[in-house]
Each structure stands twice: as structure tokens, then as C-alpha cells.
mmCIF file of all heavy atoms in Angstrom:
data_model
loop_
_atom_site.group_PDB
_atom_site.id
_atom_site.type_symbol
_atom_site.label_atom_id
_atom_site.label_comp_id
_atom_site.label_asym_id
_atom_site.label_seq_id
_atom_site.Cartn_x
_atom_site.Cartn_y
_atom_site.Cartn_z
ATOM 1 N N PHE T 288 0.798 -9.044 21.991
ATOM 2 C CA PHE T 288 1.733 -9.311 20.892
ATOM 3 C C PHE T 288 1.827 -10.833 20.613
ATOM 4 O O PHE T 288 2.131 -11.604 21.500
ATOM 5 C CB PHE T 288 3.119 -8.746 21.224
ATOM 6 C CG PHE T 288 4.187 -9.104 20.257
ATOM 7 C CD1 PHE T 288 4.243 -8.470 19.032
ATOM 8 C CD2 PHE T 288 5.124 -10.083 20.549
ATOM 9 C CE1 PHE T 288 5.256 -8.790 18.082
ATOM 10 C CE2 PHE T 288 6.106 -10.417 19.644
ATOM 11 C CZ PHE T 288 6.162 -9.777 18.413
ATOM 12 N N GLY T 289 1.469 -11.199 19.363
ATOM 13 C CA GLY T 289 1.578 -12.621 18.982
ATOM 14 C C GLY T 289 0.615 -13.556 19.669
ATOM 15 O O GLY T 289 0.730 -14.743 19.540
ATOM 16 N N ALA T 290 -0.378 -12.999 20.337
ATOM 17 C CA ALA T 290 -1.390 -13.885 21.017
ATOM 18 C C ALA T 290 -2.282 -14.568 20.002
ATOM 19 O O ALA T 290 -2.529 -14.041 18.917
ATOM 20 C CB ALA T 290 -2.224 -13.004 21.975
ATOM 21 N N ASP T 291 -2.745 -15.726 20.327
ATOM 22 C CA ASP T 291 -3.645 -16.456 19.431
ATOM 23 C C ASP T 291 -5.088 -16.279 19.926
ATOM 24 O O ASP T 291 -5.488 -16.816 20.925
ATOM 25 C CB ASP T 291 -3.311 -17.950 19.431
ATOM 26 C CG ASP T 291 -4.141 -18.714 18.404
ATOM 27 O OD1 ASP T 291 -5.057 -18.153 17.808
ATOM 28 O OD2 ASP T 291 -3.800 -19.919 18.186
ATOM 29 N N LEU T 292 -5.810 -15.392 19.222
ATOM 30 C CA LEU T 292 -7.180 -15.079 19.562
ATOM 31 C C LEU T 292 -8.133 -15.563 18.460
ATOM 32 O O LEU T 292 -9.226 -15.015 18.273
ATOM 33 C CB LEU T 292 -7.292 -13.534 19.703
ATOM 34 C CG LEU T 292 -6.626 -12.992 20.959
ATOM 35 C CD1 LEU T 292 -6.089 -11.571 20.640
ATOM 36 C CD2 LEU T 292 -7.560 -12.907 22.085
ATOM 37 N N GLU T 293 -7.756 -16.639 17.774
ATOM 38 C CA GLU T 293 -8.565 -17.182 16.697
ATOM 39 C C GLU T 293 -9.960 -17.531 17.263
ATOM 40 O O GLU T 293 -10.116 -18.199 18.243
ATOM 41 C CB GLU T 293 -7.906 -18.460 16.133
ATOM 42 C CG GLU T 293 -8.690 -19.072 15.024
ATOM 43 C CD GLU T 293 -8.038 -20.328 14.433
ATOM 44 O OE1 GLU T 293 -6.784 -20.330 14.419
ATOM 45 O OE2 GLU T 293 -8.777 -21.189 13.990
ATOM 46 N N GLY T 294 -10.997 -16.976 16.561
ATOM 47 C CA GLY T 294 -12.344 -17.270 16.912
ATOM 48 C C GLY T 294 -12.796 -16.689 18.236
ATOM 49 O O GLY T 294 -13.874 -17.014 18.734
ATOM 50 N N ALA T 295 -11.994 -15.809 18.848
ATOM 51 C CA ALA T 295 -12.367 -15.244 20.136
ATOM 52 C C ALA T 295 -13.529 -14.232 19.985
ATOM 53 O O ALA T 295 -13.687 -13.597 18.957
ATOM 54 C CB ALA T 295 -11.169 -14.518 20.777
ATOM 55 N N ASN T 296 -14.360 -14.115 21.031
ATOM 56 C CA ASN T 296 -15.432 -13.187 21.032
ATOM 57 C C ASN T 296 -15.005 -11.940 21.805
ATOM 58 O O ASN T 296 -14.885 -11.956 23.013
ATOM 59 C CB ASN T 296 -16.680 -13.801 21.687
ATOM 60 C CG ASN T 296 -17.872 -12.851 21.655
ATOM 61 O OD1 ASN T 296 -17.820 -11.792 20.980
ATOM 62 N ND2 ASN T 296 -18.913 -13.183 22.395
ATOM 63 N N LEU T 297 -14.757 -10.870 21.048
ATOM 64 C CA LEU T 297 -14.324 -9.574 21.590
ATOM 65 C C LEU T 297 -15.368 -8.539 21.350
ATOM 66 O O LEU T 297 -15.079 -7.362 21.271
ATOM 67 C CB LEU T 297 -13.001 -9.185 20.962
ATOM 68 C CG LEU T 297 -11.813 -10.080 21.397
ATOM 69 C CD1 LEU T 297 -10.789 -10.161 20.256
ATOM 70 C CD2 LEU T 297 -11.144 -9.552 22.649
ATOM 71 N N PHE T 298 -16.662 -8.973 21.304
ATOM 72 C CA PHE T 298 -17.780 -8.052 21.095
ATOM 73 C C PHE T 298 -17.732 -6.971 22.159
ATOM 74 O O PHE T 298 -17.709 -7.192 23.374
ATOM 75 C CB PHE T 298 -19.107 -8.801 21.168
ATOM 76 C CG PHE T 298 -20.293 -7.880 21.183
ATOM 77 C CD1 PHE T 298 -20.767 -7.347 19.961
ATOM 78 C CD2 PHE T 298 -20.890 -7.522 22.353
ATOM 79 C CE1 PHE T 298 -21.859 -6.499 19.977
ATOM 80 C CE2 PHE T 298 -21.971 -6.674 22.358
ATOM 81 C CZ PHE T 298 -22.487 -6.160 21.198
ATOM 82 N N GLY T 299 -17.649 -5.725 21.702
ATOM 83 C CA GLY T 299 -17.700 -4.546 22.610
ATOM 84 C C GLY T 299 -16.527 -4.448 23.571
ATOM 85 O O GLY T 299 -16.580 -3.685 24.515
ATOM 86 N N ALA T 300 -15.434 -5.184 23.286
ATOM 87 C CA ALA T 300 -14.272 -5.137 24.127
ATOM 88 C C ALA T 300 -13.554 -3.767 23.967
ATOM 89 O O ALA T 300 -13.633 -3.126 22.939
ATOM 90 C CB ALA T 300 -13.309 -6.245 23.809
ATOM 91 N N TYR T 301 -12.885 -3.350 25.048
ATOM 92 C CA TYR T 301 -12.140 -2.073 25.066
ATOM 93 C C TYR T 301 -10.683 -2.429 24.956
ATOM 94 O O TYR T 301 -10.055 -2.907 25.887
ATOM 95 C CB TYR T 301 -12.460 -1.321 26.360
ATOM 96 C CG TYR T 301 -11.952 0.089 26.383
ATOM 97 C CD1 TYR T 301 -12.579 1.032 25.531
ATOM 98 C CD2 TYR T 301 -10.882 0.457 27.129
ATOM 99 C CE1 TYR T 301 -12.057 2.349 25.527
ATOM 100 C CE2 TYR T 301 -10.377 1.772 27.127
ATOM 101 C CZ TYR T 301 -11.006 2.713 26.349
ATOM 102 O OH TYR T 301 -10.546 4.017 26.269
ATOM 103 N N LEU T 302 -10.138 -2.150 23.741
ATOM 104 C CA LEU T 302 -8.786 -2.502 23.402
ATOM 105 C C LEU T 302 -7.977 -1.226 23.020
ATOM 106 O O LEU T 302 -7.014 -1.320 22.246
ATOM 107 C CB LEU T 302 -8.736 -3.499 22.246
ATOM 108 C CG LEU T 302 -9.310 -4.896 22.599
ATOM 109 C CD1 LEU T 302 -9.963 -5.510 21.389
ATOM 110 C CD2 LEU T 302 -8.172 -5.751 23.117
ATOM 111 N N ALA T 303 -8.375 -0.074 23.540
ATOM 112 C CA ALA T 303 -7.659 1.127 23.215
ATOM 113 C C ALA T 303 -6.205 1.020 23.583
ATOM 114 O O ALA T 303 -5.817 0.539 24.644
ATOM 115 C CB ALA T 303 -8.297 2.342 23.916
ATOM 116 N N GLU T 304 -5.351 1.392 22.619
ATOM 117 C CA GLU T 304 -3.880 1.382 22.815
ATOM 118 C C GLU T 304 -3.319 0.025 23.152
ATOM 119 O O GLU T 304 -2.203 -0.097 23.664
ATOM 120 C CB GLU T 304 -3.464 2.444 23.867
ATOM 121 C CG GLU T 304 -3.860 3.887 23.433
ATOM 122 C CD GLU T 304 -3.442 4.920 24.456
ATOM 123 O OE1 GLU T 304 -2.921 4.549 25.538
ATOM 124 O OE2 GLU T 304 -3.673 6.093 24.167
ATOM 125 N N ALA T 305 -4.054 -1.049 22.859
ATOM 126 C CA ALA T 305 -3.531 -2.382 23.077
ATOM 127 C C ALA T 305 -2.518 -2.740 21.961
ATOM 128 O O ALA T 305 -2.596 -2.253 20.857
ATOM 129 C CB ALA T 305 -4.663 -3.387 23.048
ATOM 130 N N ASN T 306 -1.568 -3.582 22.321
ATOM 131 C CA ASN T 306 -0.586 -4.060 21.361
ATOM 132 C C ASN T 306 -1.051 -5.433 20.843
ATOM 133 O O ASN T 306 -0.979 -6.409 21.591
ATOM 134 C CB ASN T 306 0.818 -4.145 22.008
ATOM 135 C CG ASN T 306 1.886 -4.713 21.064
ATOM 136 O OD1 ASN T 306 1.607 -4.889 19.908
ATOM 137 N ND2 ASN T 306 3.021 -4.973 21.619
ATOM 138 N N LEU T 307 -1.475 -5.435 19.639
ATOM 139 C CA LEU T 307 -1.939 -6.681 19.002
ATOM 140 C C LEU T 307 -1.051 -7.009 17.835
ATOM 141 O O LEU T 307 -1.473 -7.660 16.828
ATOM 142 C CB LEU T 307 -3.394 -6.532 18.540
ATOM 143 C CG LEU T 307 -4.409 -6.504 19.705
ATOM 144 C CD1 LEU T 307 -5.594 -5.632 19.379
ATOM 145 C CD2 LEU T 307 -4.843 -7.881 20.089
ATOM 146 N N LYS T 308 0.177 -6.524 17.871
ATOM 147 C CA LYS T 308 1.127 -6.780 16.749
ATOM 148 C C LYS T 308 1.285 -8.309 16.540
ATOM 149 O O LYS T 308 1.447 -9.089 17.487
ATOM 150 C CB LYS T 308 2.531 -6.205 17.086
ATOM 151 C CG LYS T 308 3.539 -6.435 15.980
ATOM 152 C CD LYS T 308 4.870 -5.826 16.377
ATOM 153 C CE LYS T 308 5.881 -6.101 15.282
ATOM 154 N NZ LYS T 308 7.211 -5.598 15.677
ATOM 155 N N GLU T 309 1.107 -8.699 15.293
ATOM 156 C CA GLU T 309 1.209 -10.100 14.820
ATOM 157 C C GLU T 309 0.286 -11.084 15.578
ATOM 158 O O GLU T 309 0.501 -12.264 15.568
ATOM 159 C CB GLU T 309 2.659 -10.550 14.963
ATOM 160 C CG GLU T 309 3.578 -9.734 14.056
ATOM 161 C CD GLU T 309 5.053 -10.087 14.145
ATOM 162 O OE1 GLU T 309 5.368 -11.113 14.795
ATOM 163 O OE2 GLU T 309 5.856 -9.355 13.606
ATOM 164 N N ALA T 310 -0.771 -10.548 16.171
ATOM 165 C CA ALA T 310 -1.751 -11.431 16.831
ATOM 166 C C ALA T 310 -2.637 -12.127 15.782
ATOM 167 O O ALA T 310 -2.839 -11.600 14.720
ATOM 168 C CB ALA T 310 -2.641 -10.613 17.783
ATOM 169 N N ASN T 311 -3.062 -13.342 16.144
ATOM 170 C CA ASN T 311 -3.952 -14.077 15.284
ATOM 171 C C ASN T 311 -5.398 -13.830 15.689
ATOM 172 O O ASN T 311 -5.780 -14.353 16.729
ATOM 173 C CB ASN T 311 -3.613 -15.583 15.310
ATOM 174 C CG ASN T 311 -4.524 -16.395 14.400
ATOM 175 O OD1 ASN T 311 -5.117 -15.861 13.497
ATOM 176 N ND2 ASN T 311 -4.611 -17.695 14.634
ATOM 177 N N LEU T 312 -6.085 -13.086 14.902
ATOM 178 C CA LEU T 312 -7.504 -12.752 15.188
ATOM 179 C C LEU T 312 -8.411 -13.312 14.065
ATOM 180 O O LEU T 312 -9.442 -12.796 13.773
ATOM 181 C CB LEU T 312 -7.659 -11.245 15.308
ATOM 182 C CG LEU T 312 -7.014 -10.637 16.532
ATOM 183 C CD1 LEU T 312 -6.516 -9.194 16.269
ATOM 184 C CD2 LEU T 312 -7.936 -10.675 17.729
ATOM 185 N N TRP T 313 -7.952 -14.398 13.436
ATOM 186 C CA TRP T 313 -8.723 -15.004 12.374
ATOM 187 C C TRP T 313 -10.123 -15.426 12.909
ATOM 188 O O TRP T 313 -10.229 -16.065 13.920
ATOM 189 C CB TRP T 313 -7.969 -16.256 11.786
ATOM 190 C CG TRP T 313 -8.652 -16.894 10.638
ATOM 191 C CD1 TRP T 313 -8.840 -16.340 9.437
ATOM 192 C CD2 TRP T 313 -9.191 -18.204 10.632
ATOM 193 N NE1 TRP T 313 -9.537 -17.251 8.641
ATOM 194 C CE2 TRP T 313 -9.745 -18.376 9.320
ATOM 195 C CE3 TRP T 313 -9.297 -19.197 11.554
ATOM 196 C CZ2 TRP T 313 -10.353 -19.539 8.963
ATOM 197 C CZ3 TRP T 313 -9.896 -20.398 11.195
ATOM 198 C CH2 TRP T 313 -10.447 -20.558 9.846
ATOM 199 N N GLU T 314 -11.124 -14.970 12.212
ATOM 200 C CA GLU T 314 -12.518 -15.199 12.532
ATOM 201 C C GLU T 314 -12.949 -14.718 13.896
ATOM 202 O O GLU T 314 -13.947 -15.138 14.469
ATOM 203 C CB GLU T 314 -12.904 -16.672 12.337
ATOM 204 C CG GLU T 314 -12.914 -17.153 10.928
ATOM 205 C CD GLU T 314 -13.501 -18.515 10.756
ATOM 206 O OE1 GLU T 314 -13.504 -19.315 11.741
ATOM 207 O OE2 GLU T 314 -13.990 -18.791 9.656
ATOM 208 N N ALA T 315 -12.194 -13.804 14.460
ATOM 209 C CA ALA T 315 -12.571 -13.218 15.761
ATOM 210 C C ALA T 315 -13.757 -12.258 15.621
ATOM 211 O O ALA T 315 -13.926 -11.597 14.573
ATOM 212 C CB ALA T 315 -11.384 -12.463 16.395
ATOM 213 N N ASN T 316 -14.538 -12.136 16.651
ATOM 214 C CA ASN T 316 -15.703 -11.202 16.594
ATOM 215 C C ASN T 316 -15.271 -9.945 17.370
ATOM 216 O O ASN T 316 -15.194 -9.952 18.592
ATOM 217 C CB ASN T 316 -16.932 -11.842 17.290
ATOM 218 C CG ASN T 316 -18.138 -10.913 17.296
ATOM 219 O OD1 ASN T 316 -18.159 -9.930 16.548
ATOM 220 N ND2 ASN T 316 -19.050 -11.141 18.193
ATOM 221 N N LEU T 317 -15.006 -8.886 16.623
ATOM 222 C CA LEU T 317 -14.636 -7.588 17.161
ATOM 223 C C LEU T 317 -15.743 -6.575 16.905
ATOM 224 O O LEU T 317 -15.496 -5.353 16.841
ATOM 225 C CB LEU T 317 -13.333 -7.115 16.565
ATOM 226 C CG LEU T 317 -12.129 -7.957 16.931
ATOM 227 C CD1 LEU T 317 -11.106 -8.018 15.873
ATOM 228 C CD2 LEU T 317 -11.519 -7.435 18.227
ATOM 229 N N TRP T 318 -16.957 -7.028 16.833
ATOM 230 C CA TRP T 318 -18.108 -6.144 16.579
ATOM 231 C C TRP T 318 -18.201 -5.125 17.650
ATOM 232 O O TRP T 318 -18.218 -5.449 18.902
ATOM 233 C CB TRP T 318 -19.396 -6.989 16.480
ATOM 234 C CG TRP T 318 -20.633 -6.252 16.115
ATOM 235 C CD1 TRP T 318 -20.765 -5.174 15.325
ATOM 236 C CD2 TRP T 318 -21.983 -6.564 16.514
ATOM 237 N NE1 TRP T 318 -22.053 -4.755 15.193
ATOM 238 C CE2 TRP T 318 -22.841 -5.592 15.948
ATOM 239 C CE3 TRP T 318 -22.478 -7.556 17.348
ATOM 240 C CZ2 TRP T 318 -24.221 -5.637 16.114
ATOM 241 C CZ3 TRP T 318 -23.877 -7.594 17.517
ATOM 242 C CH2 TRP T 318 -24.707 -6.630 16.936
ATOM 243 N N GLU T 319 -18.223 -3.872 17.286
ATOM 244 C CA GLU T 319 -18.302 -2.704 18.157
ATOM 245 C C GLU T 319 -17.179 -2.616 19.181
ATOM 246 O O GLU T 319 -17.321 -1.982 20.221
ATOM 247 C CB GLU T 319 -19.670 -2.643 18.840
ATOM 248 C CG GLU T 319 -20.826 -2.368 17.849
ATOM 249 C CD GLU T 319 -22.133 -2.132 18.501
ATOM 250 O OE1 GLU T 319 -22.247 -2.202 19.753
ATOM 251 O OE2 GLU T 319 -23.117 -1.916 17.732
ATOM 252 N N ALA T 320 -16.051 -3.283 18.901
ATOM 253 C CA ALA T 320 -14.874 -3.189 19.804
ATOM 254 C C ALA T 320 -14.243 -1.812 19.639
ATOM 255 O O ALA T 320 -14.244 -1.246 18.569
ATOM 256 C CB ALA T 320 -13.926 -4.311 19.506
ATOM 257 N N ASN T 321 -13.674 -1.334 20.725
ATOM 258 C CA ASN T 321 -12.958 -0.054 20.731
ATOM 259 C C ASN T 321 -11.450 -0.338 20.603
ATOM 260 O O ASN T 321 -10.836 -0.803 21.534
ATOM 261 C CB ASN T 321 -13.233 0.757 21.941
ATOM 262 C CG ASN T 321 -12.603 2.148 21.926
ATOM 263 O OD1 ASN T 321 -11.630 2.376 21.272
ATOM 264 N ND2 ASN T 321 -13.239 3.087 22.594
ATOM 265 N N LEU T 322 -10.952 -0.087 19.398
ATOM 266 C CA LEU T 322 -9.555 -0.310 19.104
ATOM 267 C C LEU T 322 -8.837 1.028 18.818
ATOM 268 O O LEU T 322 -7.934 1.122 18.037
ATOM 269 C CB LEU T 322 -9.409 -1.200 17.925
ATOM 270 C CG LEU T 322 -9.873 -2.696 18.174
ATOM 271 C CD1 LEU T 322 -10.464 -3.308 16.930
ATOM 272 C CD2 LEU T 322 -8.765 -3.539 18.723
ATOM 273 N N PHE T 323 -9.215 2.087 19.547
ATOM 274 C CA PHE T 323 -8.605 3.395 19.389
ATOM 275 C C PHE T 323 -7.096 3.315 19.554
ATOM 276 O O PHE T 323 -6.613 2.860 20.607
ATOM 277 C CB PHE T 323 -9.255 4.336 20.386
ATOM 278 C CG PHE T 323 -8.584 5.711 20.411
ATOM 279 C CD1 PHE T 323 -8.812 6.616 19.379
ATOM 280 C CD2 PHE T 323 -7.762 6.087 21.460
ATOM 281 C CE1 PHE T 323 -8.216 7.891 19.369
ATOM 282 C CE2 PHE T 323 -7.221 7.354 21.482
ATOM 283 C CZ PHE T 323 -7.424 8.241 20.432
ATOM 284 N N GLU T 324 -6.391 3.707 18.571
ATOM 285 C CA GLU T 324 -4.923 3.744 18.550
ATOM 286 C C GLU T 324 -4.286 2.412 18.931
ATOM 287 O O GLU T 324 -3.164 2.320 19.467
ATOM 288 C CB GLU T 324 -4.388 4.895 19.434
ATOM 289 C CG GLU T 324 -4.752 6.234 18.920
ATOM 290 C CD GLU T 324 -4.055 7.390 19.643
ATOM 291 O OE1 GLU T 324 -3.438 7.199 20.662
ATOM 292 O OE2 GLU T 324 -4.224 8.517 19.180
ATOM 293 N N ALA T 325 -5.014 1.321 18.642
ATOM 294 C CA ALA T 325 -4.437 -0.028 18.861
ATOM 295 C C ALA T 325 -3.365 -0.287 17.787
ATOM 296 O O ALA T 325 -3.401 0.217 16.703
ATOM 297 C CB ALA T 325 -5.535 -1.062 18.737
ATOM 298 N N TYR T 326 -2.395 -1.114 18.184
ATOM 299 C CA TYR T 326 -1.296 -1.462 17.333
ATOM 300 C C TYR T 326 -1.534 -2.838 16.774
ATOM 301 O O TYR T 326 -1.347 -3.839 17.527
ATOM 302 C CB TYR T 326 0.017 -1.387 18.131
ATOM 303 C CG TYR T 326 1.237 -1.466 17.298
ATOM 304 C CD1 TYR T 326 1.530 -0.487 16.335
ATOM 305 C CD2 TYR T 326 2.153 -2.515 17.444
ATOM 306 C CE1 TYR T 326 2.699 -0.522 15.554
ATOM 307 C CE2 TYR T 326 3.292 -2.573 16.688
ATOM 308 C CZ TYR T 326 3.545 -1.607 15.753
ATOM 309 O OH TYR T 326 4.717 -1.655 14.962
ATOM 310 N N LEU T 327 -2.008 -2.924 15.494
ATOM 311 C CA LEU T 327 -2.363 -4.150 14.856
ATOM 312 C C LEU T 327 -1.442 -4.491 13.667
ATOM 313 O O LEU T 327 -1.797 -5.219 12.744
ATOM 314 C CB LEU T 327 -3.790 -4.074 14.394
ATOM 315 C CG LEU T 327 -4.840 -4.006 15.461
ATOM 316 C CD1 LEU T 327 -6.008 -3.146 15.054
ATOM 317 C CD2 LEU T 327 -5.285 -5.411 15.859
ATOM 318 N N TRP T 328 -0.194 -3.998 13.781
ATOM 319 C CA TRP T 328 0.766 -4.186 12.701
ATOM 320 C C TRP T 328 0.955 -5.702 12.494
ATOM 321 O O TRP T 328 1.298 -6.433 13.387
ATOM 322 C CB TRP T 328 2.116 -3.534 13.084
ATOM 323 C CG TRP T 328 3.102 -3.584 11.967
ATOM 324 C CD1 TRP T 328 3.338 -2.657 11.032
ATOM 325 C CD2 TRP T 328 4.098 -4.596 11.751
ATOM 326 N NE1 TRP T 328 4.367 -3.018 10.191
ATOM 327 C CE2 TRP T 328 4.876 -4.226 10.619
ATOM 328 C CE3 TRP T 328 4.404 -5.844 12.382
ATOM 329 C CZ2 TRP T 328 5.887 -5.023 10.109
ATOM 330 C CZ3 TRP T 328 5.463 -6.595 11.881
ATOM 331 C CH2 TRP T 328 6.142 -6.181 10.817
ATOM 332 N N GLY T 329 0.707 -6.156 11.226
ATOM 333 C CA GLY T 329 0.931 -7.526 10.892
ATOM 334 C C GLY T 329 -0.079 -8.523 11.474
ATOM 335 O O GLY T 329 0.159 -9.740 11.459
ATOM 336 N N ALA T 330 -1.120 -8.042 12.102
ATOM 337 C CA ALA T 330 -2.103 -8.964 12.734
ATOM 338 C C ALA T 330 -2.902 -9.672 11.615
ATOM 339 O O ALA T 330 -3.138 -9.156 10.541
ATOM 340 C CB ALA T 330 -3.059 -8.157 13.611
ATOM 341 N N ASN T 331 -3.345 -10.892 11.960
ATOM 342 C CA ASN T 331 -4.172 -11.650 11.066
ATOM 343 C C ASN T 331 -5.632 -11.386 11.418
ATOM 344 O O ASN T 331 -6.127 -11.955 12.429
ATOM 345 C CB ASN T 331 -3.866 -13.148 11.116
ATOM 346 C CG ASN T 331 -4.729 -13.966 10.160
ATOM 347 O OD1 ASN T 331 -5.408 -13.414 9.293
ATOM 348 N ND2 ASN T 331 -4.655 -15.269 10.304
ATOM 349 N N LEU T 332 -6.317 -10.554 10.645
ATOM 350 C CA LEU T 332 -7.734 -10.262 10.838
ATOM 351 C C LEU T 332 -8.586 -10.870 9.777
ATOM 352 O O LEU T 332 -9.677 -10.435 9.548
ATOM 353 C CB LEU T 332 -7.904 -8.737 10.902
ATOM 354 C CG LEU T 332 -7.327 -8.024 12.195
ATOM 355 C CD1 LEU T 332 -7.028 -6.605 11.907
ATOM 356 C CD2 LEU T 332 -8.313 -8.220 13.323
ATOM 357 N N ALA T 333 -8.070 -11.897 9.057
ATOM 358 C CA ALA T 333 -8.801 -12.527 7.981
ATOM 359 C C ALA T 333 -10.129 -13.077 8.529
ATOM 360 O O ALA T 333 -10.154 -13.677 9.589
ATOM 361 C CB ALA T 333 -8.038 -13.634 7.388
ATOM 362 N N GLU T 334 -11.235 -12.773 7.830
ATOM 363 C CA GLU T 334 -12.580 -13.241 8.171
ATOM 364 C C GLU T 334 -13.034 -12.716 9.538
ATOM 365 O O GLU T 334 -14.065 -13.191 10.050
ATOM 366 C CB GLU T 334 -12.650 -14.727 8.158
ATOM 367 C CG GLU T 334 -12.202 -15.412 6.866
ATOM 368 C CD GLU T 334 -13.094 -15.082 5.672
ATOM 369 O OE1 GLU T 334 -14.303 -14.901 5.867
ATOM 370 O OE2 GLU T 334 -12.560 -15.009 4.544
#
């Protein structure tokens, strides 16, 4: 929640049921990441 993951490499990461509410994921690499039922309410996923 609210973590700053700007530009982080989360390639293939397993984030099932993770709480990413209001997290900053601007320009993060989530290629093939598993976000099954993840909570991304209000997260910044721009770019």
C-alpha cells in the first residue's frame, strides 16, 4: 500500500492477492506478472 515502485522490474513476479492500493508503479515492468485478485485501487500504472 502506497509503496514507491517507480521503474521497478517485476517481470514474472507473483503478486496474487497483493495490496498495491495507491502504489506508484509508473514505468514499472510487470511483463507476465501474476496479479490475480490483486488490489490496485488508485495505483499509478502510467507507462
Side-chain angles (χ1 to χ4, degrees):
F288 172 75
D291 188 352
L292 291 145
E293 180 178 327
N296 182 11
L297 292 147
F298 171 82
Y301 190 71
L302 293 148
E304 298 180 357
N306 178 7
L307 291 147
K308 180 181 180 183
E309 298 177 10
N311 180 20
L312 292 149
W313 184 65
E314 289 191 337
N316 180 19
L317 292 148
W318 185 31
E319 293 186 0
N321 186 330
L322 292 147
F323 174 73
E324 294 188 355
Y326 191 63
L327 292 146
W328 186 90
N331 181 11
L332 290 156
E334 305 295 327

